[in-house]
């Protein structure tokens, strides 16, 4: 098959590109590298089945030849990065998603959209199932991303009402692994950088907020299984193993053998207090669940860091 991956040079997109090439598929990666590094694709950019188109999806992309599948992973995704570029983030997920719908429609291709656990906002339901509607501040610092992704989901739904679009949506929970940008401001990269450099490890708030961290290889396996799912389906993809941010700080400190101090900083506005996917639907319908525990995944990530 020939896949077009919008955001194919990003952290998740590049791992996905690589895996699909290994499976014998053709990949066209469209990326403007605004929140990723060209180094991500260095290992396979000369592969005969790989092409990279350096373009912002908002400018439109015209691709020669047939495309069987459009995977839309283009978006800034770290809170620090998307809050620095709120309008671009919002537009990528709204106008950009509409463009991806039109492209898939014109090519008679299927579409998979990478949505996020952030559509659940600061959840009142725990763990989060796909039928939970979320608790999102529409006018807050995270809304460019949260509401952008929610509008992205609505775009797929609305477009397909009158057009022949075969789509599915995955909601990705916190994912980590090699190729994350070291300066993206996310918790895993911040703590690793701080621990390795003997700098204070900055826990925001009292550190009792939770996240559930999924290792990239597990996520990619889940994405590939999701491509085979039925039209209109929505799946949570993430690792349900839930940890407080304090636990994560201690774990990274231990794994690096660092003598960094753990310090507390102000909790950012609208920071979700807890987050954990209910993945029973993905388990049941896709036969997928993560296999990598947090310590194992962090060790692999540290090696690459
Ligand atoms: N966080 C932290 N210290 C940092 C960076 C993040 O304590 O240096 C916290 C952040 O407040 C949030 C969690 O770690 O509660 C995850 O933040 P991240 O930016 O990785 O992603 P989010 O899950 O919020 O989208």
């Amino acid at each position: 098959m020939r896949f077009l991956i919008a955001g194919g040079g990003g952290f998740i997109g590049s791992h996905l590109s690589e895996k699909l090439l290994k499976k014998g598929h053709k990949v066209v990666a469209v990326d403007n590298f605004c929140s990723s590094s060209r180094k991500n694709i260095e290992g396979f950019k000369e592969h005969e089945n790989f092409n990279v188109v350096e373009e912002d999806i908002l400018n439109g992309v015209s691709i020669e030849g047939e495309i069987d599948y459009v995977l839309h992973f283009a978006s800034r995704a770290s809170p620090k990065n998307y809050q620095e570029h709120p309008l671009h983030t919002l537009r990528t997920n709204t106008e950009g998603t509409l463009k991806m719908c039109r492209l898939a429609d014109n090519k008679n291709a299927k579409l998979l959209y990478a949505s996020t656990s952030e559509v659940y906002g600061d959840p009142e339901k725990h763990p989060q199932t796909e039928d939970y509607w979320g608790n999102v501040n529409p006018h807050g610092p995270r809304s460019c991303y949260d509401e952008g992704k929610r509008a992205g989901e609505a775009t797929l739904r609305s477009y397909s009402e009158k057009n022949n679009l075969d789509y599915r949506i995955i909601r990705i929970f916190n994912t980590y692994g090699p190729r994350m940008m070291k300066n993206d401001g996310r918790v895993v990269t911040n703590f690793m950088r701080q621990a390795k450099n003997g700098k204070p490890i900055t826990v925001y708030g009292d550190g009792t907020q939770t996240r559930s961290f999924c290792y990239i290889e597990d996520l990619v396996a889940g994405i590939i299984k999701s491509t085979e799912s039925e039209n209109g389906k929505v799946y949570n993809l993430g690792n349900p193993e839930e940890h407080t941010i304090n636990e994560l700080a201690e774990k990274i400190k231990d794994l690096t053998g660092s003598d960094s101090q753990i310090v507390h900083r102000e909790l950012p506005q609208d920071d979700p207090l807890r987050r954990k996917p209910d993945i029973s639907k993905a388990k049941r319908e896709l036969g997928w669940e993560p296999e990598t525990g947090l310590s194992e995944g962090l060790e692999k990530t540290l090696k690459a860091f």
Side-chain angles (χ1 to χ4, degrees):
M1 279 169 62
R2 189 165 183 240
F3 288 83
L4 181 143
I5 311 185
F11 162 50
I12 296 176
S14 67
H15 284 280
L16 189 55
S17 297
E18 199 172 5
K19 190 75 185 180
L20 289 170
L21 289 171
K22 280 196 183 131
K23 284 179 168 283
H25 297 294
K26 294 183 172 143
V27 174
V28 181
V30 181
D31 210 303
N32 62 354
F33 294 97
C34 70
S35 56
S36 62
S37 162
R38 287 171 189 78
K39 276 194 196 147
N40 290 350
I41 58 168
E42 224 152 61
F44 53 90
K45 74 168 189 247
E46 305 300 341
H47 194 294
E48 57 176 352
N49 287 338
F50 185 70
N51 283 100
V52 59
V53 177
E54 212 163 315
E55 186 57 275
D56 188 321
I57 60 163
L58 288 173
N59 297 333
V61 269
S62 71
I63 304 288
E64 299 267 310
E66 298 201 348
I67 296 285
D68 302 295
Y69 221 120
V70 174
L71 305 171
H72 176 17
F73 282 75
S75 179
R76 301 170 189 273
S78 93
K80 175 175 168 260
N81 189 270
Y82 66 62
Q83 286 175 34
E84 282 165 7
H85 304 275
L87 200 54
H88 186 249
T89 304
L90 185 67
R91 291 185 61 215
T92 304
N93 285 291
T94 52
E95 290 168 52
T97 300
L98 180 57
K99 284 184 194 288
M100 291 300 105
C101 289
R102 291 198 170 121
L103 179 72
D105 194 4
N106 288 338
K107 295 281 186 190
N108 216 4
K110 292 184 177 184
L111 175 68
L112 179 144
Y113 178 50
S115 184
T116 170
S117 57
E118 295 231 13
V119 299
Y120 303 123
D122 189 8
E124 290 155 325
K125 181 178 175 184
H126 197 71
Q128 292 80 55
T129 48
E130 289 86 350
D131 57 6
Y132 175 51
W133 292 355
N135 177 38
V136 173
N137 177 357
H139 189 242
R142 299 175 84 104
S143 60
C144 59
Y145 186 69
D146 301 9
E147 295 291 12
K149 289 287 184 188
R150 288 167 69 96
E153 291 197 17
T155 304
L156 266 60
R157 169 97 201 199
S158 309
Y159 188 91
S160 72
E161 299 283 340
K162 296 256 166 69
N163 300 278
N164 199 12
L165 182 67
D166 187 328
Y167 75 91
R168 63 279 305 127
I169 293 168
I170 53 170
R171 295 185 181 145
I172 300 173
F173 285 66
N174 295 64
T175 300
Y176 67 99
R179 299 188 193 152
M180 290 183 91
M181 298 285 281
K182 289 192 183 69
N183 60 352
D184 70 0
R186 282 172 163 150
V187 69
V188 171
T189 40
N190 269 10
F191 287 1
M192 284 189 175
R193 195 166 32 81
Q194 292 161 343
K196 286 208 145 200
N197 294 329
K199 295 268 161 48
I201 297 177
T202 55
V203 170
Y204 300 159
D206 65 6
T208 57
Q209 71 270 34
T210 67
R211 292 294 186 273
S212 306
F213 298 97
C214 186
Y215 188 61
I216 183 69
E217 276 176 28
D218 286 334
L219 182 81
V220 167
I223 296 168
I224 289 177
K225 291 209 161 162
S226 312
T227 60
E228 287 158 21
S229 63
E230 286 166 34
N231 185 14
K233 288 278 184 173
V234 179
Y235 292 103
N236 283 340
L237 294 185
N239 190 326
E241 195 187 315
E242 185 182 11
H243 294 274
T244 65
I245 297 305
N246 285 328
E247 284 164 10
L248 181 74
E250 291 291 352
K251 209 174 244 302
I252 291 180
K253 196 172 137 115
D254 283 354
L255 288 172
T256 49
S258 165
D259 52 15
S260 288
Q261 263 196 312
I262 295 179
V263 299
H264 290 266
R265 299 277 179 267
E266 201 183 332
L267 188 70
Q269 189 196 326
D270 295 347
D271 198 283
L273 277 184
R274 51 194 189 161
R275 190 183 282 157
K276 168 181 166 147
D278 180 321
I279 57 163
S280 30
K281 190 174 169 192
K283 263 193 205 170
R284 198 174 54 243
E285 296 183 9
L286 306 175
W288 171 81
E289 66 181 307
E291 291 170 357
T292 315
L294 186 60
S295 300
E296 185 190 346
L298 288 176
E299 272 173 27
K300 286 185 182 175
T301 309
L302 274 166
K303 259 192 202 148
F305 201 74

